[in-house]
Amino acid sequence: MKKLIFTTLLCVVWCVVNAQDAGLLFTPSAFKGEVTQMIPSGYPAKQVQGNYSIQVLDGKVTVHMPYVGDVHTLAFDENGLNFTEECSGYRTKVKTKKKTNTTETEVIFRPRHAGVSYEFRVTLYNNNTFHINLSPSNASACNYAGRLVKMEK
C-alpha cells in the first residue's frame, strides 16, 4: 500500500513538473521553434535539418528558415530567409477544442524585410508543436512545421 501511494505521488509530481516545463515553452508573445518540415506551394513536402528556427520575443521576430517557391521579385538568396525585424499587426486568438481537450493559439504578425512584406500565421499547439503559413508579398506561400523549444535566457 505504501509503495502504491509513493508511486502515485511520484507520478503526480512528475506530471506537475512536466506540465510546468511544457507551459514555459511558449506564450503568444514569446516563443521559439525549430523548423523540421517545409511544405512549399506546388512542391513536395521536405524534411529539413540544420539550424532552421523562428523566434518571437519583445515584439521582434528572428527567422532562419529555408524557402522553396516561385519568387516574383528577387529578395531571397540561396540561404533562404534570415532576418530579425519588428512585428507589426500582432494579433492572437486562442481556440479550445472541447472534444479533444486541446488548445490552439494562432498568432498573426507582419514583419517587413528588404522591401518585402511577410504575413506569418503561426499556430502553436499545446503538445509543443507549431505550424506556420508564410505569405511573402513577392513570392508564393510556404508552410512549415516543427517543435517548440525552450528559449535561451
Side-chain angles (χ1 to χ4, degrees):
M1 184 67 171
K2 287 181 184 180
K3 195 175 195 179
L4 178 62
I5 293 171
F6 176 75
T7 305
T8 304
L9 182 59
L10 186 61
C11 287
V12 167
V13 169
W14 183 83
C15 289
V16 167
V17 168
N18 281 333
Q20 288 174 346
D21 285 345
L24 294 176
L25 293 184
F26 76 87
T27 67
S29 61
F31 59 88
K32 181 177 183 178
E34 291 179 350
V35 176
T36 58
Q37 186 178 31
M38 177 175 59
I39 310 113
S41 296
Y43 296 90
K46 178 181 180 182
Q47 297 297 317
V48 295
Q49 296 178 346
N51 294 323
Y52 297 118
S53 64
I54 182 170
Q55 177 173 310
V56 172
L57 182 63
D58 296 331
K60 291 186 178 182
V61 61
T62 301
V63 177
H64 301 291
M65 298 190 315
Y67 179 81
V68 172
D70 297 328
V71 178
H72 311 298
T73 58
L74 189 59
F76 299 100
D77 61 24
E78 65 275 355
N79 296 320
L81 302 169
N82 293 290
F83 61 81
T84 298
E85 296 292 346
E86 295 285 329
C87 297
S88 66
Y90 205 93
R91 299 187 325 251
T92 62
K93 182 178 176 182
V94 178
K95 303 175 193 172
T96 302
K97 296 185 176 182
K98 292 181 182 178
K99 285 185 178 181
T100 59
N101 196 26
T102 58
T103 303
E104 297 177 3
T105 303
E106 183 180 54
V107 180
I108 301 169
F109 53 91
R110 293 178 181 87
R112 187 168 174 80
H113 177 73
V116 178
S117 297
Y118 299 89
E119 180 180 81
F120 284 82
R121 288 182 174 269
V122 182
T123 304
L124 306 166
Y125 300 100
N126 62 350
N127 66 353
N128 293 324
T129 60
F130 67 89
H131 178 268
I132 299 172
N133 177 281
L134 170 64
S135 298
S137 63
N138 72 327
S140 54
C142 192
N143 291 286
Y144 301 88
R147 63 185 184 88
L148 295 164
V149 296
K150 286 188 179 181
M151 297 176 68
E152 304 293 321
K153 291 186 179 183

